[in-house]
Amino acid sequence: MEINTAVTLGFVTASYFFIFSILAYYAQKIIFKKRIKEVHMFMSFSKPLYSYTLRNDVEVKYGYIPLSSYINVDFGEAGLTGPEQKKYEAEIRNNGIAFQIMITVFFLVVFGALNFILGNNTLTMFSDLGSNTWALLSGKEEFSDFAVFIHSQYSTYGKNFYIVAATMMYFIVIALLMIVTSWSPYLSLILSLLIVVIYCLLVFKYFELPLTFYIDLMLALIISGFIYFLLLRFFIK
């Protein structure tokens, strides 16, 4: 896992956040007929690092936690109280679930079609990566063995393609989990905490890659994410 692997991984992840932001914006605007207030490239608490406002009064914000991208819709209408407000909030939540289903199907279709064209087996890719990742997290497999597996996949599918494929598989799994957890804010919180814990386990338990790998990964993610943040003004109307 060389430095250029980290740069590619950071760029691919930021690209996903960028595409996700655009799809989420137009799904809410055109399909669900909702007014969008904000588009976030990366997460932030309180004030973002930088923001700008479009002509349609949508504010685009650049955060400081490069874990996701998301949009905020107008979560209430004037005059709504009690049961009406709860009904409106339930509608917003159901729209979010419907969008996650749409995005999961979309990426599965694109991913499956691309693999079909290239002669790859999508189910085999999911199965191999999933079983080896679980073996790593459960302690049944050493990091060195996992690294050998990754390099064997590089040889089988091509390095850059497999990095893109593995990242896409990861976000498809996250989208599936979000469909389940969207029914309750508590489940969403549990999922977020679980993902953070898994990240920490991977970094601290298997910190066998050089420090420069993680530095270049974050730099690539932040720099490409900021470029995409600036480009959003040309894709959101």
Side-chain angles (χ1 to χ4, degrees):
M1 293 196 181
E2 304 85 355
I3 297 304
N4 59 343
T5 299
V7 173
T8 304
L9 186 59
F11 177 76
V12 171
T13 302
S15 300
Y16 173 86
F17 293 157
F18 176 65
I19 295 171
F20 185 89
S21 294
I22 296 172
L23 293 178
Y25 176 85
Y26 283 105
Q28 291 291 344
K29 181 179 179 180
I30 297 174
I31 299 176
F32 304 124
K33 309 295 183 183
K34 298 300 179 184
R35 188 176 74 85
I36 293 88
K37 295 170 58 179
E38 300 170 340
V39 178
H40 291 255
M41 187 71 184
F42 295 169
M43 300 170 60
S44 61
F45 298 103
S46 64
K47 292 184 178 181
L49 288 176
Y50 184 68
S51 66
Y52 56 84
T53 303
L54 303 175
R55 292 180 181 178
N56 56 7
D57 293 329
V58 174
E59 191 170 9
V60 184
K61 297 183 176 182
Y62 180 77
Y64 43 81
I65 306 176
L67 290 179
S68 68
S69 62
Y70 57 98
I71 65 168
N72 285 335
V73 300
D74 189 355
F75 218 74
E77 293 181 347
L80 290 182
T81 57
E84 292 180 337
Q85 180 69 20
K86 290 183 178 180
K87 182 179 179 181
Y88 185 79
E89 292 175 357
E91 181 186 357
I92 297 292
R93 183 175 62 252
N94 291 335
N95 288 347
I97 295 172
F99 172 72
Q100 290 297 338
I101 294 174
M102 290 164 53
I103 204 72
T104 303
V105 172
F106 172 76
F107 279 110
L108 278 173
V109 169
V110 171
F111 187 49
L114 181 61
N115 275 323
F116 178 78
I117 293 171
L118 296 175
N120 301 326
N121 189 315
T122 302
L123 292 179
T124 299
M125 292 182 73
F126 268 103
S127 175
D128 290 345
L129 182 61
S131 59
N132 280 273
T133 301
W134 175 251
L136 176 67
L137 293 174
S138 61
K140 297 178 181 179
E141 186 175 283
E142 296 296 327
F143 183 81
S144 57
D145 299 324
F146 185 76
V148 170
F149 160 73
I150 293 296
H151 283 286
S152 70
Q153 300 298 88
Y154 286 172
S155 301
T156 302
Y157 301 106
K159 180 178 178 179
N160 291 328
F161 173 77
Y162 189 71
I163 292 174
V164 175
T167 306
M168 186 175 287
M169 285 189 281
Y170 166 78
F171 283 114
I172 288 172
V173 171
I174 292 297
L176 288 170
L177 290 174
M178 289 183 67
I179 293 171
V180 176
T181 58
S182 294
W183 295 106
S184 167
Y186 299 106
L187 288 175
S188 298
L189 179 60
I190 291 173
L191 172 63
S192 299
L193 292 174
L194 179 62
I195 291 174
V196 170
V197 169
I198 291 175
Y199 286 164
C200 290
L201 285 175
L202 286 173
V203 171
F204 292 110
K205 186 176 180 180
Y206 302 106
F207 197 80
E208 298 189 24
L209 295 173
L211 180 61
T212 49
F213 176 89
Y214 299 99
I215 293 174
D216 283 336
L217 172 62
M218 293 304 297
L219 286 176
L221 183 56
I222 291 170
I223 292 171
S224 56
F226 186 74
I227 293 172
Y228 284 136
F229 159 73
L230 296 176
L231 288 176
L232 281 173
R233 69 171 72 240
F234 300 108
F235 290 88
I236 295 178
K237 305 297 181 181

